[in-house]
Amino acid sequence: MKIRKIAFLLAVTVICTFMLTACGEEPIDISQHINVVFDGLNGKGTARVNRENLDAAIESIILGEDEENMSYATLNSVDQIEESIKLDLDKNSGLSNGDTVTVNISADTKKAKENGIKLTGMDNLTFTVSGLKDITEIDPFDEEVFNVESGEGIYIEYTGVSPRANIQIRNTLPDSNPLSKVQYGTEESFYNNIKKGQTITIVAKAPSSFEDDGIVLSSEKTTVTCEKVDEYIRSVDDIDDETMQKIVNQCNDLYKSKFESYSDGYNVAFVNSEGKTIYRSYMDSISDFKYQKEYFFALKEGLDAKYGEGMKENGLFITATVNLNKVKNDLFAKETHDYKNCNINFRVYDIVKNKDGEIQYKADMVKYGTYIYVDEDTFKTEVINSYLDTFEKTDEKNADFK
């Protein structure tokens, strides 16, 4: 009898507890705790959901004011309920003023109910986008300020010499112009490898402050062509008549200073048809100087210029014939030999035409070729042909000089 009484009282207690819990559920209207925050620029706006005081409302009901003394199980239940409430936006970027976004709401109502909370307001909510900043669009490549040659603007300049030039970009716009804050650079990295006529992609990057100011760039890339640049010439035809005459005059002066003014005998390195160098110190004279040929070389595409002395990018060779008269093998020899139409040569290396089309020439660029060759064919074999692996012979023609 006593056991039945205890069982009855226990059942009554459970039923009462259940009824008290059901009757004591406190409602939370989720919709009243949701707000959508819009940010950014009109047409490029973003949206995020702000669950204003929603978690605080849940915690207030379950934990009350005695949060520190709550059991782990109770605190875990709070976390589960809060995490179960999902507020998903149907779109959150690329927004314009007047667009609408929808918040889809879902939650674990069963878990909430077990903890004395009745969740309501779970229908989807729609919000109208507003407050986005209007966009001011500016062109970073406006021809009035981009790639200018004078005044304030963005300068595209080339340093060094084509095909091994570099690019530099200078922004001289005043602070009052928003473009003064734009960073300009190249899409690719260049180091001593830009050549005339090459197309280069220029990239414009807006500063982070533009977004706060509602400013966007109308484009981020453009192309420029390398034109105003110094260049190593690739043909003798690139040398203007005036400069060529200066070169010829220097060749004349070198010949006179080396041979015509020397009267005590001539010390020459003479190369015979077999390519053997013979040194001759005594002869009667060197005469009948006459220009013969022009040869021009340019470094082959894709090869790197060599370092040190000698021809690196291009070279002009000018040959002339001379007669070696009454040559002796030594001082006491009685027998003499005459060598007709021997070859001497002059060289000008690495000729540059500046960005204004003028050849950069100085007299000391012209060098005497040191050796005298028995004829033009020997000179070609010993000298001209030695460059053909690395250089293109772009010109070979008769020298019409005096």
Side-chain angles (χ1 to χ4, degrees):
M1 184 74 179
K2 184 176 181 180
I3 293 174
R4 289 181 179 179
K5 185 176 181 181
I6 293 172
F8 174 76
L9 292 173
L10 181 62
V12 170
T13 301
V14 171
I15 293 170
C16 290
T17 301
F18 175 78
M19 292 178 66
L20 287 171
T21 301
C23 295
E25 291 176 8
E26 294 192 38
I28 294 179
D29 186 346
I30 295 177
S31 66
Q32 299 301 309
H33 294 273
I34 294 177
N35 185 33
V36 177
V37 178
F38 301 105
D39 193 21
L41 306 178
N42 191 16
K44 297 183 177 182
T46 60
R48 61 181 175 83
V49 179
N50 185 3
R51 43 198 289 165
E52 296 177 349
N53 300 318
L54 178 58
D55 293 343
I58 295 171
E59 293 164 9
S60 176
I61 293 173
I62 298 177
L63 304 180
E65 298 180 357
D66 196 20
E67 180 178 344
E68 293 183 359
N69 296 320
M70 287 296 167
S71 66
Y72 173 79
T74 302
L75 294 174
N76 189 48
S77 294
V78 172
D79 289 339
Q80 290 178 357
I81 296 170
E82 291 176 351
E83 292 174 2
S84 78
I85 300 175
K86 307 296 184 183
L87 308 174
D88 298 320
L89 278 168
D90 63 341
K91 52 185 176 181
N92 58 13
S93 62
L95 302 175
S96 302
N97 288 327
D99 290 347
T100 58
V101 296
T102 299
V103 180
N104 299 305
I105 304 171
S106 62
D108 187 344
T109 56
K110 181 178 179 182
K111 186 69 175 179
K113 186 174 183 180
E114 290 174 357
N115 287 271
I117 297 174
K118 181 178 181 180
L119 296 177
T120 63
M122 296 179 57
D123 292 335
N124 294 342
L125 298 177
T126 299
F127 294 83
T128 300
V129 180
S130 63
L132 299 180
K133 295 178 182 178
D134 289 331
I135 293 175
T136 300
E137 190 174 76
I138 59 175
D139 182 4
F141 308 114
D142 183 348
E143 61 182 13
E144 291 188 6
V145 296
F146 181 76
N147 201 8
V148 297
E149 296 184 3
S150 62
E152 296 174 334
I154 296 97
Y155 287 80
I156 310 295
E157 298 170 333
Y158 303 93
T159 61
V161 185
S162 171
R164 309 191 189 284
N166 294 293
I167 187 171
Q168 66 178 17
I169 304 174
R170 293 191 297 118
N171 191 336
T172 68
L173 291 170
D175 292 342
S176 58
N177 190 321
L179 290 178
S180 66
K181 300 176 179 63
V182 173
Q183 294 181 346
Y184 291 89
T186 58
E187 188 172 54
E188 300 177 69
S189 177
F190 297 102
Y191 181 72
N192 294 341
N193 60 347
I194 296 176
K195 63 181 179 180
K196 187 172 183 178
Q198 182 173 340
T199 299
I200 300 170
T201 299
I202 305 296
V203 178
K205 182 179 180 181
S208 57
S209 61
F210 272 20
E211 184 169 355
D212 296 334
D213 297 335
I215 300 173
V216 297
L217 302 180
S218 60
S219 59
E220 296 180 348
K221 294 182 182 180
T222 191
T223 58
V224 297
T225 302
C226 175
E227 292 293 349
K228 299 286 286 184
V229 62
D230 296 353
E231 60 180 320
Y232 290 105
I233 65 173
R234 298 190 62 83
S235 170
V236 71
D237 294 333
D238 290 328
I239 304 175
D240 59 276
D241 293 342
E242 181 180 354
T243 302
M244 183 60 79
Q245 189 58 56
K246 291 179 181 179
I247 294 173
V248 172
N249 291 343
Q250 183 62 16
C251 293
N252 293 337
D253 290 344
L254 287 175
Y255 172 75
K256 291 176 182 179
S257 65
K258 187 166 184 65
F259 297 113
E260 289 189 357
S261 63
Y262 188 56
S263 59
D264 294 332
Y266 299 88
N267 185 13
V268 299
F270 178 71
V271 181
N272 64 22
S273 59
E274 297 176 354
K276 183 178 179 180
T277 301
I278 305 170
Y279 292 92
R280 292 291 180 258
S281 300
Y282 300 97
M283 65 187 72
D284 185 65
S285 63
I286 297 177
S287 62
D288 301 304
F289 174 82
K290 182 180 180 181
Y291 288 107
Q292 186 175 22
K293 287 277 191 177
E294 292 176 73
Y295 301 89
F296 194 88
F297 287 92
L299 185 67
K300 288 183 177 179
E301 294 282 353
L303 295 184
D304 291 327
K306 66 179 183 178
Y307 295 95
E309 299 295 327
M311 182 167 61
K312 300 178 182 65
E313 296 283 353
N314 62 38
L316 169 65
F317 293 77
I318 298 175
T319 66
T321 57
V322 294
N323 294 334
L324 309 184
N325 303 313
K326 295 182 179 181
V327 180
K328 294 181 180 182
N329 289 336
D330 56 60
L331 176 62
F332 302 104
K334 293 182 179 180
E335 185 178 359
T336 61
H337 300 277
D338 292 333
Y339 296 94
K340 303 294 185 182
N341 297 321
C342 295
N343 175 284
I344 65 172
N345 65 90
F346 306 91
R347 309 173 184 197
V348 186
Y349 291 151
D350 302 325
I351 305 171
V352 173
K353 180 192 293 184
N354 68 19
K355 62 186 67 178
D356 297 319
E358 300 171 344
I359 296 294
Q360 302 300 284
Y361 168 77
K362 295 188 297 183
D364 62 3
M365 293 172 63
V366 183
K367 307 295 182 183
Y368 174 69
T370 304
Y371 297 103
I372 295 179
Y373 297 87
V374 66
D375 53 33
E376 188 80 12
D377 288 339
T378 302
F379 168 73
K380 290 179 68 173
T381 299
E382 297 297 319
V383 178
I384 297 300
N385 293 348
S386 68
Y387 289 104
L388 295 180
D389 288 341
T390 308
F391 292 84
E392 297 178 27
K393 186 173 66 175
T394 60
D395 292 283
E396 177 181 343
K397 59 185 178 181
N398 292 330
D400 187 20
F401 306 140
K402 293 183 180 180

